[in-house]
Amino acid sequence: SNRKWVDLTGRTPPVALILNAVKFASQPDKNLLPEPVIVAQVLPTPTVQANSDIIYTTATNELRINGTGFVGSKKVEIYFSPPLFVGVGYEVVSKFPLSVDTLVLRIRHGYKWREEPGPLKVIGVDTGGGPVKVNGDEGVLVAEVQADLDLHGVTVETTAPTQFIYHDDPNIIIVGTGFNILGNTLRFANGILGKGVNFTTVSVTPTQINLRLTAGSSWRKNVDNLPGTLTLLAVNAGEGFVAVGPNNAGKGRDVATVFERPQIFSQNTKIYRTHSHELHIRGTGFPKIISKPKLTFSPPLTEGVDYTIKVLDRSEIEVTLLDGRAWRSSPGTLFVEAINTRGDDAGWVKFPSPVAVADVKEIDNINIDNVNISPVEVFSNYMKINQYTYEIEIFGNGFKEGMSLELSPNIIDGKDYDLQVVNKNKAVLKLRHDMKWSNNAGLLIVKSVEVHGYVYNLSGNDGIVIAVVLVNPSKETSTNITSNKSFSFNGFGVVVCILLLVIIYLEIYSN
C-alpha cells in the first residue's frame, strides 16, 4: 500500500501526528477533545543499502551500514543474520542523534562478525518507531565475512614509557610482530601520513619498523599539549588494516612519548651574586609533568647543591638559589649551555652557543646618611586573590621600615593600601576601604623597592609577581532568572538578608 500516516516530503522528521477531534456519530458537531493532541511522532521508514565488501572475522574492527531514514535518530537497533547483539558482540560508535544516513559499528574484544565465513545480513532496523523488516524475509547483504589471514597477525608493543622523543626528532622505532618486509601502511591517531608526506619507512624486519620524519613535519603538531603520546591505531601488512591496541577498542598502542623541543631565550636580568635568590628563565617547551627540566650552567652549578628548579608554565622556569650558595664565584654573565626536558640520557639539547640568562652583580651594603642598607629582594608568589582581598603577605630579604613599593597596576601606598614591614623577610600590604588591587584580572607585580632613597629595580624591568588578581564575581552582579523577571544579588543585599534573619530569630525566641 502507498498510504502513509504523514507525507514527509519537505519536512524534517520526526513529524507530529496530531489528533484534532473525537466525535460520536450521534453528535457529529460536538468535539470531545478540549484541544488537539499529539498521538505519535512519525519517522521515515528506514532502509539498508546492500554492500558486498569483504571483511574479516576479527581483523576488521569496523563495519559501516548505509541506508536511508537514519538522520535525526536518537537510537538505531540493527537485527543481524546470523545473530549479533549490540553491547555483547559489537558496539555502536556513531554519535547520536545521527547527522548522516550511516551507522558505524565496532566488533568487541573476543567476538567475531560471524563464527564461520559467509554472508552477513541485516534483516531488520529500528530507528525509534519499532522494528521494520528490510527486503522481506531475505534481508540485505552488508558484508562478506572471510577468515583472518596470516598477515592479520600483526601486533605492536607499547614503547612510550621507554621511547622518549622531541616533536621534531628525526627517527622513531615501532616494535612488534608480523610486519611485512615488503611494506606496511601505518595509521596514527593524529593523522600523520607515510610515503614522504610526514614520514618515510627506512627499514623493516618482521619485528621492527624504523621511521624517519620528513623535513618540516613533526610527530605531534600541537606542542601546547605536550608532553603526550604518539599513538599507532592500525597496521596494514598487505591484507587490510588491523587494529593494534586492545582488541578492536579503537585505542591503539602508544609507541612514543613526545616532548616539545625546548628553547631558552637570551636575557640580561640583573641579579646579585649571593643575595638574589630567584632567577626566572624564559623559553618554550618546559614540561610540568612526566619529567623536570635539567640545565647545564656556565659557570657550572649543581642542582640540589646550588639551586632548585620549578616549572611555572610551558614558557617559564623558576630557579632558586640555596642558602649559602652563589650564582657565580665572581661577577659576570651566567649562561645556559644545554637543557634536557625528557629526563633520558639522549634528551640533552646543546645550544649552538651558550645562552645568557643573567647579569650577575656583586653588591656591598650601601651607606646613605649613616644608615647601613642591605640589598633588597622580593620573592615571587602566584597565589590567587580577588580584587578586594584585604591583606597580602610578601616575602623576601632586606625589608626596612620606611621602604616603599612601585606596583603594577599603579596603586599607591597610603592611598590604595598600607604597607607594614613585619621584619627583614616579611611585609604585609593591607587594602584600604573601597579600593581594589586591580580593575581587571591579571598579575600584581612589584617593579621596584625604594629604601632610604635607594631604588632597587627587581628582575631588570620585569618586576616580581606577588599575586594573581581574579575579578570578584560576587560584587554588584545580577542574574536573570526568567525572561520577564530578574533577581538582583549583591554584597549589600546579603548583609540585609542576614540582618532580617537575625531579627526574625530574636523575635521568635523573645516571645
Side-chain angles (χ1 to χ4, degrees):
S1 172
N2 292 323
R3 301 185 69 179
K4 303 175 183 179
W5 287 108
V6 175
D7 184 2
L8 296 176
T9 304
R11 298 181 177 183
T12 302
V15 174
L17 180 63
I18 301 174
L19 181 63
N20 290 305
V22 174
K23 301 177 182 179
F24 288 122
S26 59
Q27 293 179 301
D29 296 329
K30 183 179 180 181
N31 185 0
L32 300 178
L33 292 180
E35 59 185 16
V37 177
I38 297 175
V39 294
Q41 296 288 348
V42 182
L43 301 170
T45 302
T47 66
V48 173
Q49 295 177 4
N51 181 17
S52 59
D53 288 350
I54 293 173
I55 63 173
Y56 297 93
T57 51
T58 63
T60 302
N61 71 316
E62 189 175 281
L63 174 64
R64 292 175 178 265
I65 297 178
N66 298 309
T68 62
F70 293 176
V71 174
S73 299
K74 296 180 180 179
K75 184 179 180 181
V76 177
E77 293 187 10
I78 303 293
Y79 299 89
F80 284 100
S81 176
L84 188 63
F85 300 102
V86 65
V88 179
Y90 71 93
E91 58 191 18
V92 178
V93 296
S94 297
K95 302 298 182 183
F96 292 100
L98 294 178
S99 58
V100 293
D101 282 321
T102 299
L103 193 67
V104 182
L105 313 180
R106 180 184 295 140
I107 198 72
R108 302 189 80 176
H109 175 55
Y111 288 86
K112 303 175 181 179
W113 293 112
R114 275 185 60 120
E115 289 298 324
E116 300 293 336
L120 181 65
K121 294 183 178 182
V122 172
I123 58 175
V125 181
D126 182 358
T127 57
V132 175
K133 283 186 176 182
V134 290
N135 195 28
D137 294 332
E138 292 186 9
V140 176
L141 177 70
V142 291
E144 285 285 353
V145 182
Q146 294 187 3
D148 293 343
L149 305 176
D150 290 341
L151 289 176
H152 289 142
V154 176
T155 66
V156 171
E157 294 182 13
T158 296
T159 51
T162 57
Q163 183 165 219
F164 288 180
I165 62 172
Y166 288 120
H167 73 285
D168 58 355
D169 270 351
N171 301 300
I172 68 166
I173 299 173
I174 309 296
V175 179
T177 60
F179 299 143
N180 189 343
I181 61 173
L182 298 179
N184 305 268
T185 303
L186 308 180
R187 179 183 292 162
F188 286 93
N190 64 343
I192 58 174
L193 301 173
K195 297 183 178 180
V197 178
N198 300 114
F199 63 87
T200 56
T201 300
V202 178
S203 62
V204 182
T205 71
T207 59
Q208 185 171 297
I209 302 175
N210 293 302
L211 305 180
R212 179 168 297 158
L213 193 66
T214 303
S217 293
S218 57
W219 298 111
R220 287 277 300 264
K221 292 181 180 180
N222 192 350
V223 294
D224 290 349
N225 293 333
L226 297 180
T229 56
L230 178 65
T231 303
L232 181 60
L233 294 178
V235 177
N236 183 349
E239 293 294 341
F241 278 101
V242 177
V244 297
N247 281 5
N248 300 320
K251 295 180 180 179
R253 293 286 182 188
D254 297 332
V255 297
T257 301
V258 185
F259 294 77
E260 179 184 5
R261 181 171 293 276
Q263 300 181 58
I264 288 182
F265 301 151
S266 178
Q267 57 191 45
N268 64 344
T269 302
K270 291 179 175 58
I271 58 176
Y272 301 119
R273 192 178 67 84
T274 59
H275 192 77
S276 296
H277 283 262
E278 288 186 1
L279 171 63
H280 287 246
I281 296 176
R282 291 172 175 81
T284 59
F286 306 146
K288 297 189 73 172
I289 59 173
I290 301 180
S291 66
K292 184 175 69 173
K294 297 179 180 179
L295 302 172
T296 299
F297 284 101
S298 177
L301 294 171
T302 303
E303 184 179 2
V305 176
D306 298 304
Y307 68 92
T308 60
I309 192 168
K310 177 183 178 182
V311 176
L312 299 181
D313 56 39
R314 170 178 165 264
S315 61
E316 187 173 0
I317 292 174
E318 180 182 273
V319 182
T320 302
L321 189 68
L322 295 177
D323 289 343
R325 311 306 294 181
W327 294 108
R328 285 180 52 111
S329 59
S330 61
T333 303
L334 182 64
F335 297 94
V336 173
E337 294 183 334
I339 183 172
N340 184 344
T341 56
R342 292 182 351 199
D344 61 322
D345 292 340
W348 283 100
V349 176
K350 187 174 182 179
F351 302 116
S353 59
V355 180
V357 293
D359 181 12
V360 181
K361 299 290 187 181
E362 188 74 81
I363 185 166
D364 297 321
N365 289 354
I366 303 166
N367 190 282
I368 301 176
D369 296 333
N370 296 320
V371 177
N372 197 43
I373 303 173
S374 298
V376 176
E377 183 181 16
V378 175
F379 299 157
S380 66
N381 190 341
Y382 284 78
M383 68 174 180
K384 293 180 174 62
I385 64 172
N386 65 49
Q387 295 166 294
Y388 302 97
T389 297
Y390 173 63
E391 187 175 286
I392 299 175
E393 294 180 344
I394 62 172
F395 300 89
N397 282 318
F399 295 170
K400 297 279 188 180
E401 285 290 344
M403 76 175 190
S404 61
L405 307 177
E406 179 193 357
L407 298 180
S408 175
N410 186 24
I411 55 176
I412 301 171
D413 182 14
K415 176 185 176 184
D416 302 297
Y417 69 93
D418 294 302
L419 173 63
Q420 175 188 352
V421 175
V422 178
N423 55 47
K424 67 176 183 178
N425 301 116
K426 178 181 177 180
V428 178
L429 282 62
K430 296 183 179 180
L431 193 65
R432 290 196 169 192
H433 181 63
D434 283 340
M435 295 293 110
K436 301 178 184 179
W437 294 112
S438 174
N439 289 323
N440 304 301
L443 302 178
L444 183 61
I445 300 172
V446 180
K447 304 287 286 186
S448 65
V449 180
E450 181 178 343
V451 180
H452 297 293
Y454 191 88
V455 177
Y456 295 89
N457 293 314
L458 301 179
S459 190
N461 295 321
D462 295 333
I464 299 295
V465 177
I466 59 170
V468 178
V469 182
L470 306 177
V471 174
N472 189 346
S474 63
K475 188 129 178 149
E476 301 302 328
T477 60
S478 64
T479 304
N480 288 333
I481 305 300
T482 64
S483 59
N484 60 352
K485 294 182 180 180
S486 63
F487 176 75
S488 179
F489 186 85
N490 52 53
F492 178 76
V494 172
V495 174
V496 171
C497 288
I498 292 173
L499 289 175
L500 286 173
L501 289 172
V502 171
I503 292 170
I504 293 170
Y505 178 89
L506 293 175
E507 283 288 329
I508 291 172
Y509 284 92
S510 63
N511 294 327

